[in-house]
Amino acid sequence: MVGMTGFSAWSRVSRLFQRKTDLPEPPPEGQALHLQVASPEFLRDCLGEEGYDRMLRRIWERALSLSPKAELLTAQGALLCPIPTKDSHEARHMAKHLLARVQQPLTIAGITLTPDLVVDLMDRPSPEHPTLMSQCDIEVWFQPQIDCDCGAVTGFEALPRFRHPEQGYLLPGVFLPQLNGAERARLSLEVLRQAGAALRQWDAGGWGIDTVSVNFSEQELVDPNLPDLTLWEMDRLDLHPSRLVVEVLETVAPPATEPPTAQDEAIAANLRRLAAAGCRIDLDDFGTGFSSLGAIRHFAPQRLKIDRRFITDCDKDIRQQHMILAILSLADHLGLTTLAEGVETADEQAFLTQIGCHQLQGYAIARPMPFAQTIPFLQERRKLLDGLPQLFRRTG
Ligand code: G
Ligand code: MN
């Protein structure tokens, strides 16, 4: 059985590499492009088992002309094309050519079709030492963000969860530090894919969700390929870049007293490129860095996510209230939107709404949930809002 739609492609790819017997030859060193048929079940239905196998072979033959060591992993409906380089620029170039070569019309059993393939760039994990990432399933969970004025869900933050076959769900704090740079980048790509797929499904259901947010680490943010990979993925999902919010931790900004390093400049340049394409930038954990003002200047975000340390007990604690008011006033003067994170109680929610915070996220609204649960959640929420008189505090 294969079930490979664009959803969760990466977790399946990871599993693929656990089964040593699937690999016909010991894999050579370096990187490989992994091509996977986007909707194998549909194609199997159309072509039948035999026709589907013939289609895979034809795709493979086409790939061989560009990548002579290409392997066909028939059972998974996937191709592995080793490439003799570690240079990711050349790899992306190669990926484009490979896709152009294989995504040409094919006629099988009288049916002409153009196969849709998903391509991944991967390091080859050594089969003797399976990494933690290769053992875990990666699920993306979603936490809603609501608008304080009307209560509607405006977006979701995509948060990865890691399911180990024996140990159950692993905490991000346990899992993330064990990933190497390449794995971290692949994880983000997987989060982006699942987040994009979710957004398309909310769109199809008419839920009016504006954005989905993803978190990029400092390591990923310096990668000069990040904007291309991100925008390429959004394009492939047929989503405008403005539907994506990139969350950057405030602590990633350089201290205001020191000149920015080459790495700081690289991060700022990547964010400028993403923003120029339409992506939105959130400053995450706002208020916890060395220089909150410096971070605003350095990253030019559109929204501040006020750290939960300021939010806890804000309905009762006057010092918290002064801090939040100061942040709201700052945001107002700079034309930035504010989102309070870690809102855990109805009283905190009421206070934040009254003082004019724009959006909220936290356990008081909902905990992060698997995609399947977002639909009943949105239905419940719509029922709740339909039952309330609409009160608009602001006009803009
Ligand atoms: O800082 P960032 O936005 O990336 O935080 C997301 C994390 O915060 C998630 O792991 C999520 O589970 C957690 N989280 C979300 N809402 C709350 C909340 O109301 N209280 C606490 N303590 N944690 C929360
Ligand atoms: Mn975040």
Side-chain angles (χ1 to χ4, degrees):
M1 230 295 286
V2 282
M4 288 182 243
T5 59
F7 221 78
S8 190
W10 178 255
S11 51
R12 276 183 288 269
V13 170
S14 317
R15 256 179 285 153
L16 192 74
F17 276 91
Q18 269 186 275
R19 292 185 227 142
K20 280 191 227 167
T21 48
D22 288 339
L23 296 172
E25 293 283 332
E29 293 290 307
Q31 292 188 303
L33 292 171
H34 181 270
L35 277 86
Q36 192 161 292
V37 176
S39 36
E41 276 152 357
F42 173 73
L43 289 171
R44 266 213 170 92
D45 283 345
C46 293
L47 301 172
E49 202 62 36
E50 198 199 331
Y52 180 75
D53 273 353
R54 264 175 43 217
M55 180 199 74
L56 288 179
R57 276 180 190 280
R58 295 276 297 279
I59 294 174
W60 179 39
E61 283 158 17
R62 286 175 174 177
L64 279 174
S65 64
L66 268 181
S67 177
K69 287 187 184 155
E71 296 158 4
L72 178 61
L73 310 173
T74 331
Q76 284 79 22
L79 286 173
L80 198 64
C81 303
I83 44 171
T85 172
K86 273 191 176 280
D87 171 1
S88 64
H89 179 77
E90 197 180 327
R92 277 183 305 134
H93 184 75
M94 173 94 178
K96 253 187 217 163
H97 279 277
L98 205 53
L99 276 184
R101 180 72 54 99
V102 298
Q103 285 185 329
Q104 296 286 337
L106 276 172
T107 304
I108 307 277
I111 300 172
T112 301
L113 54 94
T114 306
D116 188 14
L117 283 111
V118 180
V119 63
D120 274 299
L121 175 63
M122 53 168 47
D123 286 335
R124 290 159 158 266
S126 139
E128 302 84 60
H129 301 103
T131 58
L132 184 64
M133 177 138 158
S134 72
Q135 293 173 284
C136 289
D137 270 336
I138 293 173
E139 291 176 14
V140 177
W141 287 26
F142 297 92
Q143 189 178 33
Q145 301 170 331
I146 64 161
D147 182 281
C148 290
D149 279 344
C150 61
V153 178
T154 56
F156 282 91
E157 180 173 1
L159 298 155
R161 295 290 182 260
F162 316 99
R163 203 172 50 190
H164 190 276
E166 282 123 41
Q167 298 166 36
Y169 284 100
L170 303 178
L171 293 170
V174 172
F175 186 86
L176 294 176
Q178 298 199 43
L179 303 188
N180 61 36
E183 286 178 327
R184 186 67 231 216
R186 285 204 305 269
L187 169 65
S188 292
L189 198 60
E190 175 61 15
V191 173
L192 191 59
R193 280 196 184 144
Q194 292 196 31
L199 199 47
R200 288 189 55 118
Q201 297 208 40
W202 293 319
D203 284 357
W207 289 108
I209 305 298
D210 284 342
T211 57
V212 70
S213 304
V214 298
N215 296 275
F216 285 146
S217 69
E218 182 167 10
Q219 237 177 355
E220 294 161 88
L221 285 165
V222 290
D223 178 358
N225 296 319
L226 180 85
D228 275 348
L229 289 175
T230 306
L231 297 171
W232 183 15
E233 213 44 49
M234 290 300 282
D235 190 44
R236 204 173 60 73
L237 290 159
D238 208 14
L239 291 167
H240 191 268
S242 62
R243 310 290 304 282
L244 181 71
V245 180
V246 172
E247 292 195 14
V248 186
L249 284 172
E250 189 195 74
T251 47
V252 171
T257 47
E258 287 169 24
T261 61
Q263 172 167 329
D264 296 328
E265 299 286 12
I267 292 176
N270 272 349
L271 290 174
R272 275 197 301 274
R273 269 209 58 209
L274 287 167
C279 295
R280 306 191 215 178
I281 313 291
D282 269 7
L283 205 48
D284 202 1
D285 295 355
F286 183 76
T288 58
F290 296 113
S291 158
S292 299
L293 291 175
I296 293 176
R297 178 172 279 180
H298 194 69
F299 294 137
Q302 284 87 50
R303 183 164 66 178
L304 305 180
K305 288 191 83 176
I306 307 171
D307 190 72
R308 72 173 67 95
R309 272 165 270 198
F310 299 107
I311 304 303
T312 308
D313 292 335
C314 66
D315 54 311
K316 306 189 271 283
D317 184 337
I318 188 91
R319 284 169 310 172
Q320 294 288 68
Q321 297 180 355
H322 285 154
M323 259 322 175
I324 297 168
L325 280 166
I327 294 171
L328 295 189
S329 159
L330 171 80
D332 193 31
H333 286 292
L334 297 174
L336 303 173
T337 305
T338 46
L339 180 148
E341 61 179 13
V343 182
E344 292 190 353
T345 69
D347 287 340
E348 289 168 2
Q349 179 176 354
F351 170 78
L352 290 158
T353 302
Q354 280 160 15
I355 60 166
C357 188
H358 298 113
Q359 287 149 7
L360 305 175
Q361 177 182 347
Y363 297 166
I365 295 103
R367 289 181 177 250
M369 61 189 100
F371 174 77
Q373 285 176 27
T374 62
I375 304 298
F377 168 80
L378 288 165
Q379 282 162 344
E380 272 301 302
R381 186 99 209 145
R382 185 170 278 178
K383 246 194 272 166
L384 181 88
L385 294 180
D386 285 350
L388 291 175
Q390 288 289 315
L391 292 174
F392 290 95
R393 288 180 304 102
R394 279 191 289 266
T395 49

